[in-house]
């Protein structure tokens, strides 16, 4: 009977041990979670950037937060004094008085700071749970100036081919160009990105061509409206436009002597005209 009694008396202790183990297991899984990173997709060169790393420690305590772009450039350890350490060229850009366990602020960012940024969060002992999240940021060198539209001439008759180009000042990355004719999208016939500046902060000028046949529907009260739209992410949005006039048929045109204001041998093909204008534009930029 004593052995049975001892067994019955031991059961509560066994149940208590199982409860403790289960409790430890449950607490263990309630650690670091919901780690996310918030970084602008694109910023302008020379600006100040706020980056944040959000997380839920739950029952954990924070051990460290580290930031990387390739190598580590920022570290936050709350148990150390001071808690912030920075490393390398990018670390020199950190505004330490505005950075903390959840945020890093970089000043005067440049195009070479474009890349993937990673945030690594670690809980303290005994778990040392660690999670890493990342995001990509572009640092854009924006064009200095507005786009410019050039066309062969200001008057076109129905059936003639309208040819023109749009030149956007150099930047990095180069501007994206789209066209509208009387509000309707029209594809570029050709796009060139011409190097205007070499080196680390390479600059690229964009020249986009336009080539379409004018039809009667294009002319509204004898006018045709062409717009060149240029953008670099959400940071640069500019446009340039030109209004063309419908050239009415003349008696002389019936005899095969249609008048044209196009000048030069390069007028015989659009590609020649387009490249000629591109070269002239580039030369003008280099002489400024």
């Amino acid at each position: 009977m004593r052995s049975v009694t001892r067994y019955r008396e031991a059961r509560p202790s066994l149940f208590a041990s199982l409860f403790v183990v289960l409790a430890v297991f449950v607490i263990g899984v309630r650690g670091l979670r919901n780690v996310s990173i918030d970084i602008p997709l694109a910023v302008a060169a020379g600006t100040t950037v706020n980056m944040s790393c959000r997380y839920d420690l739950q029952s954990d305590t924070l051990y460290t937060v580290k930031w990387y772009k390739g190598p580590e450039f920022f570290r936050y350890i709350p148990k150390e004094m001071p808690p912030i350490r920075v490393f390398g060229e990018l670390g020199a850009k950190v505004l330490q008085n505005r950075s903390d366990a959840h945020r890093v602020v970089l000043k005067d960012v440049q195009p070479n700071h474009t890349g993937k940024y990673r945030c690594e969060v670690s809980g303290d002992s005994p778990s040392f749970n660690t999670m890493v999240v990342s995001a990509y940021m572009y640092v854009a060198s924006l064009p200095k100036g507005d786009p410019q539209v050039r066309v062969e001439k200001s008057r076109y008759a129905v059936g003639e081919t309208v040819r023109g180009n749009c030149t956007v000042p150099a930047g990095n990355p180069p501007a994206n160009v789209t066209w509208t004719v009387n509000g309707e999208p029209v594809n570029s016939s050709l796009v060139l990105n011409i190097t205007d500046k070499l080196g680390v902060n390479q600059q690229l000028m964009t020249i986009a061509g336009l080539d379409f046949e004018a039809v009667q529907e294009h002319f509204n009260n004898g006018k045709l409206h062409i717009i060149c739209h240029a953008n670099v992410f959400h940071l640069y949005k500019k446009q340039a436009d030109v209004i063309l006039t419908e050239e009415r048929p003349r008696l002389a045109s019936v005899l095969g002597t249609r008048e044209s204001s196009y000048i030069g041998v390069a007028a015989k093909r659009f590609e020649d005209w387009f490249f000629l204008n591109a070269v002239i534009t580039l030369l003008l930029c280099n002489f400024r």
Side-chain angles (χ1 to χ4, degrees):
M1 292 296 294
R2 288 182 179 178
S3 61
V4 174
T5 302
R6 281 199 297 269
Y7 173 73
R8 289 176 175 173
E9 291 173 349
R11 280 190 299 174
S13 299
L14 179 60
F15 293 150
S17 299
L18 290 173
F19 176 78
V20 170
V21 171
L22 181 61
V24 170
F25 174 76
V26 172
I27 292 173
V29 299
R30 286 183 52 79
L32 177 66
R33 68 173 188 174
N34 295 339
V35 181
S36 63
I37 191 170
D38 185 10
I39 294 179
L41 172 62
V43 296
T47 58
T48 298
V49 181
N50 289 275
M51 303 179 170
S52 65
C53 189
R54 306 181 188 279
Y55 47 86
D56 183 3
L57 289 167
Q58 296 193 96
S59 60
D60 274 355
T61 55
L62 180 65
Y63 173 61
T64 182
V65 177
K66 298 179 181 180
W67 284 80
Y68 301 83
K69 181 186 175 289
E72 180 184 2
F73 69 90
F74 177 90
R75 182 183 303 171
Y76 184 91
I77 302 179
K79 291 183 177 180
E80 293 186 356
M81 291 302 295
I84 291 176
R85 293 181 63 187
V86 296
F87 312 93
E89 183 270 336
L90 192 56
K93 297 284 186 180
V94 175
L95 294 176
Q96 298 189 38
N97 62 336
R98 295 172 57 183
S99 303
D100 53 35
H102 289 277
R103 182 174 62 169
V104 170
V105 181
L106 300 177
K107 64 179 180 179
D108 189 30
V109 292
Q110 297 300 321
N112 62 297
H113 297 136
T114 293
K116 183 169 73 172
Y117 289 78
R118 294 185 293 128
C119 173
E120 177 186 282
V121 184
S122 297
D124 210 340
S125 61
S127 66
F128 289 107
N129 292 326
T130 300
M131 297 185 71
V132 181
V133 290
S134 64
Y136 202 92
M137 182 179 75
Y138 294 87
V139 181
S141 179
L142 301 180
K144 294 179 173 61
D146 297 336
Q148 293 185 349
V149 172
R150 295 182 178 89
V151 292
E152 288 182 314
K153 54 185 183 177
S154 61
R155 301 175 67 88
Y156 283 87
V158 172
E160 282 193 295
T161 300
V162 179
R163 299 184 178 97
N165 67 30
C166 180
T167 303
V168 186
N172 187 355
N176 178 56
V177 174
T178 57
W179 296 92
T180 57
V181 175
N182 293 340
E184 296 296 326
V186 175
N187 293 330
S188 296
S189 56
L190 190 63
V191 177
L192 292 178
N193 290 319
I194 302 175
T195 301
D196 187 51
K197 178 182 177 183
L198 298 174
V200 177
N201 295 329
Q202 186 183 57
Q203 306 287 294
L204 294 170
M205 178 172 58
T206 302
I207 302 178
L210 184 67
D211 184 357
F212 68 94
E213 181 180 336
V215 297
Q216 189 62 59
E217 290 75 16
H218 284 148
F219 294 98
N220 183 12
N221 293 325
K223 303 294 182 181
L224 189 156
H225 192 194
I226 298 173
I227 303 178
C228 163
H229 307 263
N231 71 282
V232 180
F233 296 106
H234 61 284
L235 306 170
Y236 175 95
K237 291 186 177 182
K238 303 282 187 177
Q239 66 181 44
D241 68 338
V242 62
I243 297 177
L244 306 180
T245 304
E246 181 181 7
E247 185 177 34
R248 301 295 182 180
R250 300 179 181 178
L251 181 60
S253 65
V254 178
L255 302 177
T257 57
R258 175 180 289 176
E259 185 177 299
S260 174
S261 62
Y262 193 79
I263 301 173
V265 176
K268 298 186 183 301
R269 296 182 62 218
F270 167 67
E271 291 82 359
D272 294 338
W273 182 86
F274 180 83
F275 281 110
L276 179 62
N277 276 271
V279 170
I280 291 173
T281 301
L282 182 58
L283 290 174
L284 289 174
C285 290
N286 290 333
F287 278 108
R288 287 175 183 173

